[in-house]
Amino acid sequence: SQQGEEDPQALSIQEGENATMNCSYKTSINNLQWYRQNSGRGLVHLILIRSNEREKHSGRLRVTLDTSKKSSSLLITASRAADTASYFCASLPAGNTPLVFGKGTRLSVIA
Amino acid sequence: DSGVTQTPKHLITATGQRVTLRCSPRSGDLSVYWYQQSLDQGLQFLIQYYNGEERAKGNILERFSAQQFPDLHSELNLSSLELGDSALYFCASSTTSGNTIYFGEGSWLTVV
């Protein structure tokens, strides 16, 4: 079964606005990762946050991790039309079993 | 370009048939993963190989099998195909640390 669940399932915003996506997971993790998928294409790794980290930045991306709530958020600032894609969180459970993906958030950025 | 190569990109076949999907991992990556992505089930982990040995098994049907060869390429065999097997099948690879995995572009399978 899926370990991660993203929220919302779909998000539509105007170009220049910020987009926030949330993810919840069920068990202890070593790290949590976010991936992006353009329609019908392969997933591309965006950012990884370790279980002992609380926040991480990469360009316009900001990821937070709250292990007490078993949740993470991905913030994309100053969104662009090119950010339109599906975004998946993936948790690496303790024990290093393979990544478990959520069902993703479909982000539409309207120019 | 992730460096992971999958063939074929598209495949249409009839129910009851058997197909083989092929994957070449990134140079130097020892781990290969197979995932199935469908609209209703999301991205499902099927199986992982590490340096030729099965490392982890997920929601892989008994009709499906996989292997990793000495040159580290991998094949996913799907047999007795059903309409519900229509999906996008991804191969991914990673370094020994297994932290970040790199996806291929996928093989679109349509069963008619």
Side-chain angles (χ1 to χ4, degrees):
Chain A
S1 63
Q2 301 289 125
Q3 159 137 262
E5 294 291 337
E6 285 93 340
D7 169 58
Q9 290 187 342
L11 179 62
S12 183
I13 59 173
Q14 297 289 325
E15 205 168 31
E17 294 180 339
N18 296 340
T20 299
M21 289 159 269
N22 303 297
C23 166
S24 62
Y25 57 92
K26 296 177 182 175
T27 64
S28 296
I29 60 171
N30 284 329
N31 66 59
L32 188 137
Q33 304 175 34
W34 286 88
Y35 287 76
R36 166 194 167 126
Q37 183 184 29
N38 287 350
S39 181
R41 304 294 299 276
L43 280 75
V44 176
H45 179 258
L46 294 176
I47 193 166
L48 179 155
I49 186 166
R50 301 192 188 285
S51 60
N52 61 354
E53 297 176 312
R54 292 298 167 257
E55 186 171 313
K56 200 163 185 179
H57 296 255
S58 177
R60 293 184 296 113
L61 305 180
R62 172 179 168 252
V63 171
T64 62
L65 179 65
D66 186 336
T67 53
S68 67
K69 295 181 180 178
K70 292 186 169 60
S71 67
S72 174
S73 68
L74 171 68
L75 169 68
I76 304 175
T77 60
S79 62
R80 305 165 182 168
D83 294 328
T84 295
S86 290
Y87 292 82
F88 294 85
C89 72
S91 53
L92 184 69
N96 282 336
T97 53
L99 282 174
V100 181
F101 286 81
K103 291 194 173 183
T105 292
R106 294 187 307 280
L107 174 66
S108 298
V109 181
I110 303 166
Chain B
D1 182 4
S2 68
V4 179
T5 303
Q6 289 187 246
T7 57
K9 287 185 173 19
H10 297 88
L11 190 57
I12 302 174
T13 190
T15 54
Q17 295 297 304
R18 171 190 170 96
V19 298
T20 297
L21 309 181
R22 194 178 190 279
C23 170
S24 294
R26 290 189 326 154
S27 177
D29 283 357
L30 298 179
S31 276
V32 169
Y33 311 78
W34 287 97
Y35 285 84
Q36 177 194 57
Q37 186 177 37
S38 59
L39 284 175
D40 56 342
Q41 293 294 321
L43 198 65
Q44 296 282 332
F45 167 68
L46 296 179
I47 197 164
Q48 177 199 359
Y49 281 82
Y50 176 79
N51 202 21
E53 299 290 327
E54 182 182 305
R55 173 64 65 91
K57 189 177 268 193
N59 300 322
I60 188 166
L61 300 172
E62 286 190 9
R63 299 183 286 108
F64 296 179
S65 65
Q67 55 184 325
Q68 186 180 28
F69 295 86
D71 66 352
L72 300 178
H73 92 272
S74 177
E75 293 181 356
L76 178 66
N77 300 296
L78 315 174
S79 62
S80 302
L81 285 167
E82 302 175 358
L83 296 177
D85 297 327
S86 295
L88 185 53
Y89 291 85
F90 284 111
C91 171
S93 72
S94 71
T95 63
T96 54
S97 66
N99 277 344
T100 298
I101 62 176
Y102 297 87
F103 281 79
E105 290 297 308
S107 292
W108 280 97
L109 173 65
T110 302
V111 182
V112 297

